[in-house]
Amino acid sequence: MQTFGLFLPLGVIVYYKAVQYNLSATSWIPFAVIFGLLLILTAIGPQLEHIRTADIAHAIHPMFGFTVAWGLINFVLFLLTREIIEISYVTVNIGDVGEILSKDNLRSGGLMKLVSTYNNGNVFGACMVMLMPLYLYFEHRKVWRALFILAVILTLSRTAWFSMSAAFIMMALAGHIRLNRTSVWISVAAAVCVLLALLPLMGWSSANLIDYRLSGRLVYLQDLKISFFGAERIVIPEVVYFGLLQSFGPFGFVLSLFALGFGAAFGIGHWRQLGRLRQAAVVQVLSYLAVCAMDGAMLYPPVFPIFLFLNALICRRGYVPAADRSTDIAQRFGKRAPGLTPVHLR
């Protein structure tokens, strides 16, 4: 339904515009890649049914650790040497080598946003916050959970801070974080203290935490021109919803909202039938939909594939709980994460 009933019509609109207005390849190729990923996920969907949660954890858990550690190492290294370590095709795009400071990553006071394995702090923040509930689901070590949150804070991005707060609130509402645990509130207080300590280093006050102009992005509203089928050009800037409305018109905009929100709506509608992992994926999708109102970085390579992966997690077993063919993740992968509710595989 999500692929062929919602994303496919959007793909047809993109194709029509590309042919009708002779658009450059850079305008339509990102959408072609997205739809290609959708087809791949749809094709391998039956195989996803047989992948156990513990196997998913073993596959992606080391990636979280490397990304967090690499980002923190480079953040400290830049403070000390004004240089970072760049490995072409691994931690930085080949065209971005030596260009990290030209990507709007510098802040006042000589601080640079934590970027890790991408060239932009906002993109790193959007991706990591989108994955936060999944990381906290798999990671039981307090030190690594604290380092993960610290890495997001050190993006020095108000968008990342907002989305992390939104994800925390949604996790609490979903029952994935126990608010009656002292350790949870100690962690929140520590994060706030780190944030407050960073503000004067950037030349900011607490008033800078809320920017009603969205760092100048509200100018998009002034340039908004709505037509039924949208503008000739397809442009999705930081404020994703503006770009969808401008590019696809009212009809395409509504269709886009249904396409983006289908997985979350499915998960909420069948919430009690979902296991903890799939509930975490619902929270992650909702957190990204929230950040799209500020800086969704939708067409940057890491972002939307992660979003599609989370949708696949939500829907990979429909709404009927599959038989639990494995042991508790605490026995197969590690101890239960303090502050989180008990986890059982589905």
Side-chain angles (χ1 to χ4, degrees):
M1 171 63 183
Q2 188 176 24
T3 300
F4 295 105
L6 297 171
F7 278 110
L8 178 58
L10 285 174
V12 172
I13 294 175
V14 172
Y15 175 77
Y16 169 80
K17 287 179 177 288
V19 173
Q20 180 72 17
Y21 303 115
N22 194 27
L23 298 182
S24 63
T26 56
S27 299
W28 59 266
I29 282 182
F31 294 95
V33 172
I34 287 174
F35 193 70
L37 290 171
L38 279 165
L39 292 178
I40 292 172
L41 286 173
T42 302
I44 67 175
Q47 300 304 317
L48 293 178
E49 305 292 341
H50 304 293
I51 301 177
R52 298 172 300 182
T53 301
D55 296 328
I56 296 175
H58 281 296
I60 69 176
H61 183 265
M63 301 179 191
F64 283 118
F66 172 77
T67 305
V68 169
W70 188 262
L72 291 172
I73 288 171
N74 269 318
F75 185 87
V76 175
L77 182 64
F78 185 81
L79 287 177
L80 299 176
T81 68
R82 318 309 293 175
E83 299 286 344
I84 67 169
I85 303 172
E86 296 177 304
I87 305 175
S88 301
Y89 298 112
V90 178
T91 67
V92 64
N93 298 336
I94 185 62
D96 294 324
V97 175
E99 301 293 327
I100 197 71
L101 299 183
S102 66
K103 302 294 182 178
D104 195 28
N105 287 317
L106 280 179
R107 290 293 196 194
S108 300
L111 296 178
M112 187 184 80
K113 296 179 180 179
L114 188 146
V115 297
S116 192
T117 55
Y118 203 67
N119 62 357
N120 185 282
N122 286 9
V123 174
F124 172 81
C127 291
M128 295 305 281
V129 172
M130 194 168 19
L131 292 168
M132 185 174 78
L134 185 65
Y135 182 76
L136 295 182
Y137 179 89
F138 290 144
E139 181 59 76
H140 68 275
R141 293 167 294 183
K142 293 181 179 179
V143 170
W144 279 101
R145 290 190 292 130
L147 291 176
F148 179 91
I149 294 172
L150 177 63
V152 175
I153 293 175
L154 292 180
T155 60
L156 309 180
S157 166
R158 284 172 294 202
T159 301
W161 299 342
F162 165 80
S163 56
M164 182 170 65
S165 300
F168 178 86
I169 292 171
M170 285 188 282
M171 289 179 68
L173 293 174
H176 290 194
I177 293 179
R178 293 177 176 175
L179 295 181
N180 60 347
R181 294 182 68 95
T182 304
S183 58
V184 171
W185 291 107
I186 291 177
S187 300
V188 172
V192 172
C193 288
V194 172
L195 181 60
L196 293 178
L198 286 172
L199 292 181
L201 296 178
M202 296 188 294
W204 287 6
S205 67
S206 57
N208 294 105
L209 287 176
I210 300 177
D211 184 356
Y212 295 102
R213 298 183 66 254
L214 299 180
S215 298
R217 298 186 183 108
L218 286 185
V219 71
Y220 294 132
L221 296 179
Q222 300 174 7
D223 300 332
L224 181 61
K225 296 179 181 178
I226 302 177
S227 59
F228 187 77
F229 289 107
E232 295 182 6
R233 297 177 61 226
I234 302 176
V235 179
I236 310 295
E238 297 98 324
V239 183
V240 172
Y241 299 124
F242 159 82
L244 295 174
L245 181 58
Q246 175 92 332
S247 299
F248 298 120
F251 173 76
F253 176 68
V254 173
L255 189 62
S256 300
L257 293 183
F258 276 109
L260 294 174
F262 180 86
F266 177 90
I268 293 172
H270 303 92
W271 185 261
R272 294 186 180 276
Q273 288 80 37
L274 302 185
R276 291 289 177 180
L277 174 65
R278 296 167 67 197
Q279 288 181 356
V282 173
V283 172
Q284 291 166 283
V285 169
L286 289 173
S287 68
Y288 178 70
L289 294 179
V291 81
C292 280
M294 301 176 65
D295 186 358
M298 179 179 175
L299 296 185
Y300 284 83
V303 180
F304 212 72
I306 292 175
F307 179 80
L308 297 178
F309 166 69
L310 297 174
N311 277 270
L313 281 185
I314 295 172
C315 301
R316 71 188 178 106
R317 293 187 178 183
Y319 60 87
V320 179
D324 187 356
R325 294 170 294 156
S326 56
T327 58
D328 190 287
I329 195 171
Q331 298 174 346
R332 291 184 55 83
F333 190 70
K335 298 179 181 178
R336 177 168 61 86
L340 302 182
T341 52
V343 173
H344 296 281
L345 302 184
R346 287 184 185 263

Tab-separated table of all heavy atoms in Angstrom, residues 53 133-134 137-138 171-178 271-284 313 329 340-346:
chain	number	residue	atom	x	y	z
A	53	THR	N	15.175	-10.212	16.002
A	53	THR	CA	15.587	-8.931	16.566
A	53	THR	C	17.044	-8.962	17.013
A	53	THR	O	17.795	-8.006	16.813
A	53	THR	CB	14.681	-8.557	17.752
A	53	THR	OG1	13.344	-8.497	17.300
A	53	THR	CG2	15.093	-7.225	18.347
A	133	PRO	N	15.610	5.865	19.630
A	133	PRO	CA	14.873	4.809	20.339
A	133	PRO	C	15.402	3.418	20.030
A	133	PRO	O	15.418	2.545	20.911
A	133	PRO	CB	13.430	4.997	19.835
A	133	PRO	CG	13.356	6.433	19.431
A	133	PRO	CD	14.709	6.724	18.842
A	134	LEU	N	15.844	3.192	18.796
A	134	LEU	CA	16.406	1.893	18.435
A	134	LEU	C	17.722	1.664	19.166
A	134	LEU	O	17.985	0.564	19.664
A	134	LEU	CB	16.620	1.830	16.921
A	134	LEU	CG	17.092	0.498	16.338
A	134	LEU	CD1	16.029	-0.564	16.523
A	134	LEU	CD2	17.436	0.647	14.858
A	137	TYR	N	17.139	0.862	22.679
A	137	TYR	CA	16.569	-0.481	22.768
A	137	TYR	C	17.672	-1.530	22.825
A	137	TYR	O	17.589	-2.510	23.567
A	137	TYR	CB	15.662	-0.705	21.553
A	137	TYR	CG	15.017	-2.074	21.482
A	137	TYR	CD1	13.785	-2.311	22.084
A	137	TYR	CD2	15.629	-3.117	20.798
A	137	TYR	CE1	13.184	-3.556	22.013
A	137	TYR	CE2	15.032	-4.362	20.720
A	137	TYR	CZ	13.815	-4.575	21.324
A	137	TYR	OH	13.225	-5.809	21.251
A	138	PHE	N	18.734	-1.322	22.026
A	138	PHE	CA	19.805	-2.305	21.929
A	138	PHE	C	20.922	-2.094	22.951
A	138	PHE	O	21.580	-3.054	23.342
A	138	PHE	CB	20.418	-2.277	20.520
A	138	PHE	CG	19.529	-2.817	19.448
A	138	PHE	CD1	19.529	-2.245	18.184
A	138	PHE	CD2	18.699	-3.890	19.687
A	138	PHE	CE1	18.719	-2.744	17.180
A	138	PHE	CE2	17.877	-4.395	18.699
A	138	PHE	CZ	17.890	-3.829	17.437
A	171	MET	N	8.937	8.715	23.631
A	171	MET	CA	9.337	7.451	24.247
A	171	MET	C	8.726	7.302	25.625
A	171	MET	O	8.312	6.209	26.031
A	171	MET	CB	10.861	7.368	24.331
A	171	MET	CG	11.553	7.178	22.997
A	171	MET	SD	13.362	7.110	23.164
A	171	MET	CE	13.545	5.556	24.047
A	172	ALA	N	8.654	8.417	26.366
A	172	ALA	CA	8.032	8.377	27.683
A	172	ALA	C	6.541	8.072	27.573
A	172	ALA	O	5.992	7.261	28.331
A	172	ALA	CB	8.257	9.705	28.405
A	173	LEU	N	5.874	8.721	26.612
A	173	LEU	CA	4.446	8.474	26.418
A	173	LEU	C	4.187	7.037	25.970
A	173	LEU	O	3.149	6.453	26.319
A	173	LEU	CB	3.885	9.446	25.376
A	173	LEU	CG	3.846	10.930	25.781
A	173	LEU	CD1	3.397	11.789	24.608
A	173	LEU	CD2	2.918	11.137	26.984
A	174	ALA	N	5.121	6.479	25.219
A	174	ALA	CA	4.972	5.101	24.750
A	174	ALA	C	5.313	4.079	25.823
A	174	ALA	O	5.100	2.883	25.633
A	174	ALA	CB	5.856	4.876	23.525
A	175	GLY	N	5.845	4.545	26.950
A	175	GLY	CA	6.199	3.639	28.029
A	175	GLY	C	7.563	3.000	27.874
A	175	GLY	O	7.898	2.053	28.589
A	176	HIS	N	8.392	3.498	26.962
A	176	HIS	CA	9.716	2.934	26.744
A	176	HIS	C	10.756	3.543	27.668
A	176	HIS	O	11.891	3.058	27.709
A	176	HIS	CB	10.127	3.120	25.284
A	176	HIS	CG	9.345	2.269	24.342
A	176	HIS	ND1	9.722	2.051	23.040
A	176	HIS	CD2	8.189	1.575	24.515
A	176	HIS	CE1	8.843	1.252	22.450
A	176	HIS	NE2	7.903	0.969	23.324
A	177	ILE	N	10.418	4.615	28.335
A	177	ILE	CA	11.284	5.209	29.348
A	177	ILE	C	10.476	5.346	30.630
A	177	ILE	O	9.360	5.879	30.605
A	177	ILE	CB	11.805	6.593	28.915
A	177	ILE	CG1	12.743	6.454	27.713
A	177	ILE	CG2	12.521	7.285	30.058
A	177	ILE	CD1	13.279	7.777	27.201
A	178	ARG	N	11.008	4.859	31.706
A	178	ARG	CA	10.316	4.927	32.989
A	178	ARG	C	10.655	6.233	33.693
A	178	ARG	O	11.765	6.421	34.196
A	178	ARG	CB	10.714	3.735	33.865
A	178	ARG	CG	10.233	2.391	33.337
A	178	ARG	CD	10.721	1.275	34.227
A	178	ARG	NE	10.206	-0.016	33.813
A	178	ARG	CZ	10.567	-1.164	34.375
A	178	ARG	NH1	11.462	-1.177	35.359
A	178	ARG	NH2	10.044	-2.303	33.947
A	271	TRP	N	-0.987	-0.644	17.752
A	271	TRP	CA	0.050	-0.475	18.769
A	271	TRP	C	0.161	-1.663	19.708
A	271	TRP	O	1.251	-2.157	19.995
A	271	TRP	CB	-0.233	0.796	19.565
A	271	TRP	CG	0.826	1.138	20.568
A	271	TRP	CD1	0.813	0.882	21.902
A	271	TRP	CD2	2.072	1.795	20.307
A	271	TRP	NE1	1.955	1.339	22.492
A	271	TRP	CE2	2.747	1.907	21.532
A	271	TRP	CE3	2.662	2.302	19.146
A	271	TRP	CZ2	3.991	2.504	21.630
A	271	TRP	CZ3	3.911	2.898	19.254
A	271	TRP	CH2	4.557	2.990	20.488
A	272	ARG	N	-0.938	-2.162	20.199
A	272	ARG	CA	-0.909	-3.238	21.187
A	272	ARG	C	-0.432	-4.553	20.598
A	272	ARG	O	-0.031	-5.457	21.334
A	272	ARG	CB	-2.293	-3.423	21.816
A	272	ARG	CG	-2.735	-2.227	22.652
A	272	ARG	CD	-4.051	-2.500	23.370
A	272	ARG	NE	-4.464	-1.364	24.167
A	272	ARG	CZ	-4.026	-1.113	25.397
A	272	ARG	NH1	-3.175	-1.942	25.974
A	272	ARG	NH2	-4.454	-0.058	26.062
A	273	GLN	N	-0.481	-4.691	19.284
A	273	GLN	CA	-0.009	-5.906	18.644
A	273	GLN	C	1.474	-5.854	18.288
A	273	GLN	O	2.032	-6.843	17.830
A	273	GLN	CB	-0.817	-6.179	17.362
A	273	GLN	CG	-2.242	-6.647	17.599
A	273	GLN	CD	-3.168	-5.500	17.918
A	273	GLN	OE1	-3.026	-4.416	17.363
A	273	GLN	NE2	-4.121	-5.716	18.814
A	274	LEU	N	2.105	-4.706	18.491
A	274	LEU	CA	3.509	-4.547	18.111
A	274	LEU	C	4.430	-4.893	19.269
A	274	LEU	O	4.127	-4.605	20.432
A	274	LEU	CB	3.787	-3.108	17.665
A	274	LEU	CG	2.977	-2.546	16.497
A	274	LEU	CD1	3.477	-1.158	16.137
A	274	LEU	CD2	3.029	-3.461	15.293
A	275	GLY	N	5.577	-5.472	18.941
A	275	GLY	CA	6.607	-5.671	19.935
A	275	GLY	C	7.336	-4.372	20.225
A	275	GLY	O	7.128	-3.354	19.575
A	276	ARG	N	8.233	-4.406	21.202
A	276	ARG	CA	8.935	-3.189	21.620
A	276	ARG	C	9.790	-2.600	20.510
A	276	ARG	O	9.890	-1.386	20.370
A	276	ARG	CB	9.802	-3.481	22.847
A	276	ARG	CG	9.003	-3.762	24.102
A	276	ARG	CD	8.354	-2.497	24.613
A	276	ARG	NE	7.513	-2.759	25.778
A	276	ARG	CZ	6.827	-1.829	26.422
A	276	ARG	NH1	6.872	-0.579	25.992
A	276	ARG	NH2	6.084	-2.129	27.453
A	277	LEU	N	10.416	-3.453	19.730
A	277	LEU	CA	11.259	-2.951	18.656
A	277	LEU	C	10.437	-2.168	17.648
A	277	LEU	O	10.810	-1.066	17.228
A	277	LEU	CB	11.967	-4.113	17.956
A	277	LEU	CG	12.772	-3.748	16.705
A	277	LEU	CD1	13.940	-2.841	17.071
A	277	LEU	CD2	13.274	-4.997	15.996
A	278	ARG	N	9.304	-2.706	17.254
A	278	ARG	CA	8.472	-2.052	16.258
A	278	ARG	C	7.812	-0.802	16.829
A	278	ARG	O	7.599	0.182	16.120
A	278	ARG	CB	7.448	-3.044	15.729
A	278	ARG	CG	8.108	-4.202	14.985
A	278	ARG	CD	7.150	-5.331	14.737
A	278	ARG	NE	6.107	-4.938	13.802
A	278	ARG	CZ	4.954	-5.615	13.664
A	278	ARG	NH1	4.708	-6.670	14.423
A	278	ARG	NH2	4.057	-5.213	12.779
A	279	GLN	N	7.484	-0.812	18.113
A	279	GLN	CA	6.975	0.408	18.746
A	279	GLN	C	8.049	1.491	18.732
A	279	GLN	O	7.752	2.667	18.485
A	279	GLN	CB	6.540	0.106	20.176
A	279	GLN	CG	5.266	-0.710	20.286
A	279	GLN	CD	4.863	-0.973	21.721
A	279	GLN	OE1	5.594	-0.609	22.663
A	279	GLN	NE2	3.720	-1.605	21.929
A	280	ALA	N	9.303	1.099	18.998
A	280	ALA	CA	10.404	2.070	18.943
A	280	ALA	C	10.521	2.659	17.538
A	280	ALA	O	10.776	3.859	17.368
A	280	ALA	CB	11.716	1.405	19.349
A	281	ALA	N	10.326	1.835	16.511
A	281	ALA	CA	10.404	2.326	15.134
A	281	ALA	C	9.302	3.339	14.850
A	281	ALA	O	9.514	4.321	14.133
A	281	ALA	CB	10.310	1.150	14.159
A	282	VAL	N	8.106	3.128	15.428
A	282	VAL	CA	7.014	4.089	15.261
A	282	VAL	C	7.411	5.438	15.858
A	282	VAL	O	7.210	6.495	15.246
A	282	VAL	CB	5.721	3.577	15.931
A	282	VAL	CG1	4.630	4.658	15.893
A	282	VAL	CG2	5.215	2.324	15.234
A	283	VAL	N	7.983	5.406	17.055
A	283	VAL	CA	8.429	6.645	17.708
A	283	VAL	C	9.480	7.339	16.847
A	283	VAL	O	9.481	8.567	16.697
A	283	VAL	CB	8.983	6.341	19.114
A	283	VAL	CG1	9.620	7.594	19.725
A	283	VAL	CG2	7.874	5.831	20.034
A	284	GLN	N	10.371	6.562	16.265
A	284	GLN	CA	11.436	7.137	15.436
A	284	GLN	C	10.867	7.817	14.197
A	284	GLN	O	11.307	8.914	13.826
A	284	GLN	CB	12.412	6.026	15.038
A	284	GLN	CG	13.227	5.506	16.211
A	284	GLN	CD	13.926	4.211	15.885
A	284	GLN	OE1	13.326	3.152	15.866
A	284	GLN	NE2	15.218	4.292	15.603
A	313	LEU	N	10.748	-1.828	9.466
A	313	LEU	CA	10.687	-2.458	10.787
A	313	LEU	C	9.261	-2.474	11.323
A	313	LEU	O	8.822	-3.443	11.934
A	313	LEU	CB	11.593	-1.719	11.777
A	313	LEU	CG	13.090	-2.009	11.723
A	313	LEU	CD1	13.797	-1.265	12.858
A	313	LEU	CD2	13.379	-3.500	11.828
A	329	ILE	N	16.064	-10.797	24.389
A	329	ILE	CA	17.266	-10.119	23.896
A	329	ILE	C	18.298	-9.919	24.998
A	329	ILE	O	19.491	-9.852	24.754
A	329	ILE	CB	16.902	-8.767	23.262
A	329	ILE	CG1	18.076	-8.252	22.434
A	329	ILE	CG2	16.474	-7.760	24.293
A	329	ILE	CD1	17.739	-7.048	21.615
A	340	LEU	N	14.670	1.332	30.953
A	340	LEU	CA	13.767	0.930	29.875
A	340	LEU	C	12.931	-0.243	30.346
A	340	LEU	O	13.315	-1.008	31.214
A	340	LEU	CB	14.555	0.532	28.629
A	340	LEU	CG	15.492	1.600	28.058
A	340	LEU	CD1	16.166	1.054	26.801
A	340	LEU	CD2	14.716	2.862	27.719
A	341	THR	N	11.772	-0.398	29.756
A	341	THR	CA	10.885	-1.494	30.122
A	341	THR	C	11.439	-2.794	29.572
A	341	THR	O	12.210	-2.818	28.623
A	341	THR	CB	9.480	-1.246	29.554
A	341	THR	OG1	9.599	-0.987	28.169
A	341	THR	CG2	8.837	-0.064	30.229
A	342	PRO	N	11.044	-3.939	30.169
A	342	PRO	CA	11.564	-5.229	29.701
A	342	PRO	C	11.255	-5.429	28.222
A	342	PRO	O	10.216	-5.031	27.723
A	342	PRO	CB	10.802	-6.235	30.565
A	342	PRO	CG	10.401	-5.461	31.788
A	342	PRO	CD	10.144	-4.074	31.305
A	343	VAL	N	12.182	-6.063	27.530
A	343	VAL	CA	12.073	-6.256	26.085
A	343	VAL	C	11.903	-7.733	25.777
A	343	VAL	O	12.633	-8.577	26.286
A	343	VAL	CB	13.337	-5.723	25.379
A	343	VAL	CG1	13.321	-6.079	23.903
A	343	VAL	CG2	13.448	-4.234	25.568
A	344	HIS	N	10.947	-8.069	24.941
A	344	HIS	CA	10.774	-9.417	24.440
A	344	HIS	C	10.647	-9.351	22.932
A	344	HIS	O	10.040	-8.444	22.392
A	344	HIS	CB	9.533	-10.075	25.046
A	344	HIS	CG	9.628	-10.256	26.534
A	344	HIS	ND1	10.337	-11.270	27.116
A	344	HIS	CD2	9.133	-9.506	27.545
A	344	HIS	CE1	10.262	-11.166	28.445
A	344	HIS	NE2	9.536	-10.096	28.716
A	345	LEU	N	11.232	-10.308	22.267
A	345	LEU	CA	11.256	-10.293	20.813
A	345	LEU	C	9.900	-10.647	20.239
A	345	LEU	O	9.196	-11.475	20.769
A	345	LEU	CB	12.293	-11.299	20.294
A	345	LEU	CG	13.725	-11.081	20.768
A	345	LEU	CD1	14.625	-12.086	20.098
A	345	LEU	CD2	14.176	-9.675	20.465
A	346	ARG	N	9.624	-9.976	19.128
A	346	ARG	CA	8.439	-10.327	18.335
A	346	ARG	C	8.839	-10.298	16.876
A	346	ARG	O	9.609	-9.471	16.467
A	346	ARG	CB	7.288	-9.345	18.585
A	346	ARG	CG	6.653	-9.540	19.964
A	346	ARG	CD	5.467	-8.588	20.085
A	346	ARG	NE	4.890	-8.637	21.408
A	346	ARG	CZ	3.841	-9.358	21.718
A	346	ARG	NH1	3.253	-10.094	20.814
A	346	ARG	NH2	3.356	-9.347	22.941
